[in-house]
Amino acid sequence: MKKWLFLLWSVSASVQAVVAEPVRLASLDWPPYTGHQLEQQGETSILLRQVFAAMQLEVQTEFLPWSRAIRASESSGASYAGYFPEYQTHNPSFILSDSLGSSELGFVESKAKPLGPLTAVLLPKFQLGVVQDYVNLTVVDQMIARGQLTPQLAFSDRQNILKVALGRLDLAVIDRRVLLYLLEHDAEVKRFATDKVQFNSSLTELKTLHLALRNEPEHKLLIEKFNQYLQKVKADSIVNN
């Protein structure tokens, strides 16, 4: 009897150890949403931790270049269960959570040479910048896929802001809040782009932000539970505020 009790205790302890294992995620430096130098790693990271804490799970986030964050989460047995924040995209390799928030995508342009109201017809006339492997406005990605746009690729939003400020680009795709944050807090952007660039809000798209987990059975269960607690955390936040 004692032997069976010991075995049951051992199995129970093993299960608890697995359940209590931290959820490892990859992200990127994309202030104010996420970033290793931001207070508490950014507002989206804070929300994720609150949800996982309500689930009695710890989350560990490592900040990587965006392309690497996705690749490091993609294959079975990868170091990370998934990554965030992702727009509402269809990738069979990943399953998405409910919305964590939203991102308003538009364009950064030169104040000295404002482009006025933008349309899909006008876009090919301008030298456009995008960040490599970022999802852009739907119309921009569709035009790129059709060969109607050939944008310059950059590794970050800050590079594109500087290129626009220095006249090397006419415009670049960017999230409105990311632009405002970098103009206020990034030393190089402040130095070279303050009063030289602005957000063109004539052609914008509101996209939702999500946690993306690798498409595996245990992650499907985790996402279902995550979504339940996400709604509760959001509801509690509304009540408390």
Side-chain angles (χ1 to χ4, degrees), residues 85-227:
E86 177 61 282
Y87 289 144
Q88 181 74 56
T89 57
H90 176 69
N91 182 340
S93 298
F94 293 95
I95 46 179
L96 299 181
S97 71
D98 290 343
S99 173
L100 303 171
S102 60
S103 160
E104 183 186 7
L105 277 183
F107 300 92
V108 55
E109 65 178 6
S110 169
K111 279 189 175 182
K113 296 180 180 179
L115 303 176
L118 294 171
T119 65
V121 175
L122 290 174
L123 288 179
K125 298 180 180 180
F126 304 118
Q127 184 56 256
L128 171 69
V130 300
V131 179
Q132 184 172 344
D133 294 327
Y134 276 21
V135 173
N136 302 294
L137 286 84
T138 301
V139 64
V140 170
D141 281 336
Q142 288 174 343
M143 293 177 74
I144 292 173
R146 291 194 295 260
Q148 296 170 310
L149 287 175
T150 307
Q152 284 188 24
L153 298 179
F155 292 113
S156 67
D157 286 306
R158 66 189 302 277
Q159 285 185 354
N160 276 337
I161 296 171
L162 294 171
K163 286 181 180 180
V164 172
L166 297 172
R168 297 173 187 169
L169 289 172
D170 296 314
L171 72 169
V173 176
I174 199 166
D175 171 278
R176 181 196 289 269
R177 294 185 63 212
V178 171
L179 172 61
L180 295 177
Y181 185 93
L182 292 174
L183 283 170
E184 184 176 351
H185 297 282
D186 185 283
E188 192 174 13
V189 172
K190 285 177 71 173
R191 179 182 174 190
F192 292 104
T194 297
D195 296 326
K196 292 183 179 178
V197 300
Q198 63 188 12
F199 189 76
N200 185 312
S201 57
S202 65
L203 182 62
T204 63
E205 183 177 352
L206 195 65
K207 291 182 177 286
T208 50
L209 301 172
H210 305 265
L211 166 64
L213 295 185
R214 195 166 50 256
N215 194 351
E216 296 176 355
E218 61 268 32
H219 291 161
K220 289 182 180 179
L221 295 174
L222 185 59
I223 280 287
E224 287 177 9
K225 188 175 181 182
F226 179 89
N227 287 338

